[in-house]
Amino acid sequence: MPELDGNALAGDLAEVFAVEMTAARFTCGGCRHSGTVATLRVWTPAPGVVGRCPGCGDVLLRLVRTPRSVFVTLGTTRLELDV
Amino acid sequence: MVRAALPGRLSWRAGTVSAVRQETPSARTLVLEIPDWPGHLPGQHLDLRLTAEDGYSAQRSYSIASDWSAASGQVEITIQRLDDGEVSPYLTDVVEPGDQIELRGPIGGWFVWRATQPAPVLLVAGGSGIVPLMAMIRDRGRRRARQPFRLIYSVRTPEDACFADELRRRVRDDPGLDVHFVYTRKTPDGWPTPPKRIDVATINSHGWPPDFAPDVFVCGPTSFVETAADILVALGHDPKKVRTERFGGA
Ligand SMILES: Cc1cc2nc3c(=O)[nH]c(=O)nc-3n(C[C@H](O)[C@H](O)[C@H](O)COP(=O)(O)OP(=O)(O)OC[C@H]3O[C@@H](n4cnc5c(N)ncnc54)[C@H](O)[C@@H]3O)c2cc1C
Ligand SMILES: [Zn+2]
């Protein structure tokens, strides 16, 4: 399974958010590591993607698409967005 | 399936391949005509989606190789063929001028170079990781920007180097651009060192000292990016100034 980084999420995030998200900063709730979203470790098992903290490996972001919606999970909060 | 685009959000659109250019025996550039393309920054990429007749679709990201000028309106991507790959052999061997491709972009805002950044720049490319860095070199050249640029470009053999002639020409014509090649499998005749992977000595001699606080961009296969970024940080570069983009693979 190829390991990518948050740059690879930029397109999916840009379908949902109006600001460029890979330049946004995150702070990991687990280890307090902070960095830009572009530096998350990303695995892409279809049909979704998972972004992990480069400091501790915790899952910080999940993105799953269906034909009508995108589910974005940040921490334990899941957003369902119509696209 | 076409839906109304939400303002400010990205959506899929069709581009037309207007020309193709072979860069190496296994890499090809596609010149794309994309109606209403808003322009892009060097380092950005686009996503491309291929859909088979049965509805199966595959999506991949490709960095934009060209710098943007409204006058030319051109968007180029350069694809390295992976022989066992699903998408890249189609793009390097099958697609022809006139074909339409579904795409979205421009994408990304962190792994980009802006001509307003005053710092010297160090670019470190492994294989196809040269593509977004080439856009930065081209953008700098077109603007005649003054920031000194150094490129360290790791390739397997001399035949695998994309844009080799253009880089040679730019080293001559673009003041303040230096290029150093690293050959991992086979060197040109008369090269002073045997093939080797990128290492501390290479980055130390051909990069900028950490005191210069350069903006550093590292791009290529995941393992290459991790090795190069670790070396840079070990040499004393501020991790926040080392921007990385992983293309995947080994
Ligand atoms: C942000 C971003 C920008 C990219 N820009 C470019 C670009 O400008 N030019 C370009 O050629 N590629 C680029 N890539 C890589 C590209 O998206 C594809 O991953 C690549 O073309 C392989 O796709 P494939 O379908 O042919 O191979 P797949 O069928 O996906 O994979 C085939 C095999 O190759 C391995 N593999 C996958 N990717 C790579 C890789 N990059 N290097 C070595 N082995 C790999 C896989 O693990 C697998 O074993 C970029 C990737 C990202 C995330
Ligand atoms: Zn963490």
Side-chain angles (χ1 to χ4, degrees), chain B residues 3 9 26 68 74 93 120 129-130 140 143 150 211 213 228-229:
Chain B
R3 289 164 197 256
R9 311 311 198 271
S26 60
W68 171 254
Q74 259 171 19
D93 301 355
I130 186 66
R140 174 185 184 275
R143 295 171 184 278
R150 286 187 172 173
D211 307 354

Side-chain angles (χ1 to χ4, degrees), chain B residues 196-214:
Chain B
K196 63 166 188 178
R197 299 195 166 271
I198 196 156
D199 57 8
V200 174
T202 308
I203 296 188
N204 204 19
S205 331
H206 299 282
W208 298 109
D211 307 354
F212 286 30

Side-chain angles (χ1 to χ4, degrees), chain A residues 3 5 7 10 12 14-16, chain B residues 10 12 104 107 222 244 246:
Chain A
E3 190 192 345
D5 57 37
N7 295 299
D12 285 336
E15 278 200 347
V16 171
Chain B
L10 192 64
W12 293 93
R104 66 181 181 190
I107 298 170
T222 297
T244 48
R246 291 165 178 77

Side-chain angles (χ1 to χ4, degrees), chain A residues 28 31 33 53 55-56:
Chain A
C28 173
C31 73
H33 176 92
C53 173
C56 69

